[in-house]
Amino acid sequence: MAVLAAPVVAAVLLLTWAAYGEAQYVLYKDATKPVEARVTDLLARMTLAEKIGQMTQIERQVASPQVLKDYFIGSLLSGGGSVPRKQATAAEWVSMVSDFQKGSLSTRLGIPMIYGIDAVHGHNNVYGATIFPHNRIGAATALEVRATGIQYAFAPCIAVCRDPRWGRCYESYSEDHRIVQAMTELIPGLQGDVPANFTSGMPYVAGKNNVAACAKHFVGDGGTQNGVNEDNTIIDRRGLMTIHMPAYLNALQKGVSTVMISYSSWNGIKMHANHDLVTRYLKDRLNFKGFTISDWEGIDRITTPAGSNYSYSVQAGVLAGIDMIMVPNNYQSFISILTSHVNNGIIPMSRIDDAVTRILRVKFTMGLFENPMPDSSMADQLGKKEHRDLAREAVRKSLVLLKNGKTSDKPMLPLSKKAPKILVAGSHADNLGYQCGGWTIEWQGDTGRITVGMTILDAVKAAVDPSTTVVFAENPDADFVKNGGFSYAIVVVGEHPYTETKGDSLNMTIPDPGPSTVATVCGAAQCATVLISGRPVVVQPFLGAMDALVAAWLPGTEGQGVTDVLFGDYGFTGKLPRTWFKSVDQLPMNYGDAHYDPLFPLGFGLTTQPRTY
Ligand code: GLC
């Protein structure tokens, strides 16, 4: 055996040491390096398969740690109602997310996955979470989302709903873009406040108590003709830019990390295939540097019928500028087709690199590489009392008093807590699912005691004096009411839960027996009607019978927010965020229209003073 000379041995040792040292130092893993340097370093190391994996978001039900590893999947989501098990605890969510994350971290480059969920009015998929009135209180929501190990919320929806017949109108803050612009404050609530020297368009997430947010759905989702969901928004560019676009500028100024593309079309062009608005306007003109994401099977719906030409859908969606595709199920097909489009030169590598650069930028910025695993110590954030109190306050402030007394000199509210006997009636008085509405526990919401919370009936019983007898009758007959000796009645009726297209309505009436319950009870006793709905509905025909009318919207888990103002612990202050029509024949009708003849105008709301006991 040849004996190596000392200098050769020294050289080999030196090279080995250097190689070993080199193998240990990997720039993208160095948190002291600038994000852009880390992105560039990591991108340069990635294969096409690893890049396309980052662009792929799949549903948890088709995922496993092995799938995440084998396909380099960059993101997971829970669709509406997709949970580890019914009433899963925070710990069970954390365990599920941890297992998936271990799969991603076991890949060659160890790129952590980001898990998204529709936390659109609290962490609404999760049993026991605080359910806020839609679109409020970002910071508390972020903490409850993180309690389950999830780092990404598909919120806020900054749609400007221009026709309440749209099934998603309750997800929109208002018909007035200025209100929607103001309410983009949910973004710093979710993500944290951007620093002083922040550059608009860059993504920002302060740390592991925050989540990446998602401004949706870009753009014009709330302007479709007749409010038909996912349909066509017919408006000139000026109208699009002055009504539906302004809130996106606010969102970018506040560092929103992602933007979800709308199913809808603008003047016949599908948004998911709209390169002019997604790339040339949002990315190039507004300088958005986070990542865009498709909606659920959003690229499939580029074609009619949906999915009829998936190869074209992949090409059109990715070339339009969509960076991450919420596939969410047939990921093998998506990955195979996109790979083929790149290999055949149909989609340039530069487009893939732009998409992956944006995705990695968000992941590095939010610290996901440094903190990929859930923090199980945050479990107690889920449904904590401080958050419920916050939600209760939000409910109080969002209720709108539309009528108070048959004559203004005899207001009915606030109600007495010391009445001898009162009646609580109506389909929505003792139904937590109804008062939470859509996007709660189940995608379409549900009925009954669906999670932890207080119904309005619970809250009435808790609010009144012990000497007061509270009688509950969901749909009493007139004799029962007449002969009951009730000082007054509270009637709680409204819409049943719905989400997306299921909520599209042409008649805008509340389901039976709501109207007849109101007519019966209010015909036999002094009555305060509380309306549970995601939007203005038909009320004019029975407005005269009511002594008082409160629009309670979808108050979520905190029924006491409703009784706080009914009984005068707090005054009514809420104002209508949208026009309340007289008849559906008037729709669409928005503040500022030439012909504007509402039952109650945008901004209307009676006030009351808190009781001084
Ligand atoms: C839905 C909605 C979108 C939601 C996504 C994931 O279809 O359009 O708002 O974020 O799918 O659940």
Side-chain angles (χ1 to χ4, degrees):
M1 178 186 79
V3 176
L4 291 175
V8 174
V9 171
V12 168
L13 286 175
L14 187 62
L15 285 171
T16 305
W17 176 79
Y20 182 74
E22 175 56 36
Q24 284 310 302
Y25 182 73
V26 176
L27 190 149
Y28 76 87
K29 292 183 178 178
D30 181 349
T32 67
K33 294 297 180 194
V35 164
E36 295 309 310
R38 300 177 75 183
V39 170
T40 302
D41 178 67
L42 178 49
L43 186 71
R45 298 168 186 268
M46 296 171 74
T47 64
L48 177 59
E50 289 164 335
K51 292 177 180 177
I52 289 177
Q54 285 301 304
M55 297 172 67
T56 307
Q57 183 182 69
I58 68 175
E59 221 285 336
R60 55 166 285 279
Q61 296 175 74
V62 297
S64 71
Q66 196 61 48
V67 165
L68 293 178
K69 179 177 182 182
D70 294 347
Y71 291 89
F72 311 104
I73 300 295
S75 183
L76 283 174
L77 85 146
S78 276
S82 178
V83 298
R85 70 167 180 83
K86 285 279 183 203
Q87 300 191 5
T89 63
E92 287 172 305
W93 278 92
V94 163
S95 172
M96 176 190 77
V97 173
S98 299
D99 288 347
F100 284 135
Q101 190 65 287
K102 288 170 189 165
S104 294
L105 295 178
S106 67
T107 54
R108 180 175 75 90
L109 295 168
I111 302 172
M113 63 88 187
I114 186 169
Y115 195 115
I117 197 164
D118 290 283
V120 292
H121 62 134
H123 199 1
N124 39 266
N125 276 295
V126 177
Y127 182 82
T130 308
I131 304 300
F132 296 94
H134 265 272
N135 265 332
R136 296 283 187 281
I137 323 291
T141 299
L143 288 169
E144 299 208 9
V145 171
R146 281 287 190 174
T148 59
I150 295 174
Q151 326 96 342
Y152 179 22
F154 300 130
C157 176
I158 55 175
V160 182
C161 172
R162 303 289 286 173
D163 190 324
R165 290 174 292 185
W166 184 37
R168 306 195 70 167
C169 211
Y170 67 76
E171 296 182 61
S172 161
Y173 287 113
S174 175
E175 70 190 46
D176 183 338
H177 66 82
R178 293 166 300 180
I179 295 174
V180 177
Q181 288 178 258
M183 301 305 262
T184 54
E185 274 305 291
L186 190 89
I187 294 165
L190 289 169
Q191 298 191 151
D193 292 318
V194 297
N197 58 346
F198 181 74
T199 304
S200 175
M202 287 298 282
Y204 181 77
V205 179
K208 66 187 189 67
N209 289 346
N210 303 97
V211 295
C214 179
K216 70 183 186 181
H217 311 78
F218 185 84
V219 64
D221 51 346
T224 56
Q225 53 185 351
N226 302 320
V228 177
N229 191 42
E230 302 187 20
D231 203 82
N232 193 16
T233 295
I234 302 170
I235 191 168
D236 63 19
R237 190 174 183 93
R238 183 179 180 284
L240 188 80
M241 291 299 173
T242 54
I243 296 172
H244 300 284
M245 191 64 82
Y248 282 93
L249 280 72
N250 298 86
L252 267 54
Q253 286 159 7
K254 295 171 183 178
V256 72
S257 298
T258 74
V259 171
M260 187 182 293
I261 307 305
S262 178
Y263 286 125
S264 58
S265 302
W266 176 47
N267 294 337
I269 307 291
K270 287 277 186 181
M271 281 308 306
H272 274 75
N274 194 320
H275 179 268
D276 176 52
L277 286 176
V278 175
T279 294
R280 290 179 54 203
Y281 192 78
L282 177 66
K283 292 184 172 182
D284 297 347
R285 178 81 180 276
L286 297 187
N287 198 39
F288 177 58
K289 298 293 186 189
F291 69 79
T292 59
I293 183 169
S294 79
D295 204 331
W296 178 289
E297 295 181 352
I299 62 171
D300 308 52
R301 299 181 200 180
I302 289 172
T303 59
T304 306
S308 55
N309 184 341
Y310 195 57
S311 176
Y312 170 72
S313 286
V314 173
Q315 173 187 335
V318 173
L319 286 179
I322 301 178
D323 304 312
M324 184 179 283
I325 304 297
M326 188 186 297
V327 178
N329 297 313
N330 61 340
Y331 57 91
Q332 293 103 322
S333 169
F334 169 72
I335 290 170
S336 164
I337 289 170
L338 181 51
T339 304
S340 165
H341 283 341
V342 175
N343 290 337
N344 296 331
I346 293 171
I347 295 179
M349 183 62 83
S350 58
R351 173 73 273 272
I352 301 298
D353 288 346
D354 172 56
V356 178
T357 292
R358 292 167 177 274
I359 293 165
L360 296 179
R361 181 178 291 134
V362 171
K363 291 185 174 182
F364 279 120
T365 300
M366 67 189 291
L368 203 52
F369 282 76
E370 283 66 53
N371 292 293
M373 301 307 287
D375 177 354
S376 54
S377 72
M378 295 185 72
D380 64 350
Q381 293 291 334
L382 195 68
K384 71 190 284 193
K385 185 178 182 315
E386 292 86 336
H387 299 167
R388 292 188 180 280
D389 292 345
L390 212 48
R392 180 173 172 175
E393 177 188 357
V395 171
R396 284 197 294 269
K397 292 178 175 176
S398 58
L399 263 56
V400 181
L401 182 55
L402 297 174
K403 181 178 182 181
N404 190 10
K406 285 191 172 160
T407 56
S408 58
D409 62 338
K410 291 182 182 166
M412 179 180 181
L413 303 182
L415 300 171
S416 165
K417 291 185 176 182
K418 296 183 183 302
K421 188 178 180 184
I422 65 175
L423 171 65
V424 177
S427 52
H428 290 54
D430 193 33
N431 194 317
L432 205 55
Y434 282 2
Q435 70 189 52
C436 288
W439 287 114
T440 314
I441 305 301
E442 298 297 341
W443 176 47
Q444 289 294 326
D446 209 339
T447 182
R449 288 271 171 189
I450 62 171
T451 186
V452 176
M454 282 188 86
T455 65
I456 293 167
L457 175 62
D458 296 336
V460 170
K461 290 176 177 173
V464 297
D465 187 276
S467 64
T468 297
T469 300
V470 178
V471 174
F472 173 54
E474 189 167 319
N475 189 20
D477 63 31
D479 288 344
F480 177 86
V481 181
K482 274 193 191 106
N483 304 325
F486 301 113
S487 308
Y488 58 75
I490 300 169
V491 187
V492 191
V493 294
E495 293 189 298
H496 292 159
Y498 52 77
T499 302
E500 302 189 51
T501 302
K502 187 167 173 278
D504 283 2
S505 171
L506 292 177
N507 60 38
M508 303 295 281
T509 55
I510 60 171
D512 289 333
S516 61
T517 304
V518 170
T520 300
V521 175
C522 296
Q526 190 187 27
C527 75
T529 299
V530 176
L531 200 48
I532 303 295
S533 70
R535 56 193 165 185
V537 290
V538 171
V539 289
Q540 190 181 36
F542 34 84
L543 185 59
M546 300 170 181
D547 297 283
L549 173 60
V550 175
W553 312 117
L554 298 169
T557 52
E558 307 312 308
Q560 289 180 300
V562 176
T563 49
D564 284 345
V565 284
L566 282 182
F567 290 102
D569 293 338
Y570 294 84
F572 277 93
T573 57
K575 303 298 179 192
L576 284 181
R578 60 183 82 260
T579 298
W580 204 295
F581 58 86
K582 286 176 180 166
S583 155
V584 285
D585 301 335
Q586 296 177 296
L587 299 178
M589 177 174 64
N590 293 290
Y591 182 77
D593 286 357
H595 181 67
Y596 189 67
D597 175 30
L599 182 61
F600 302 108
L602 173 78
F604 180 83
L606 302 175
T607 57
T608 56
Q609 294 305 315
R611 267 189 190 286
T612 50
Y613 289 105

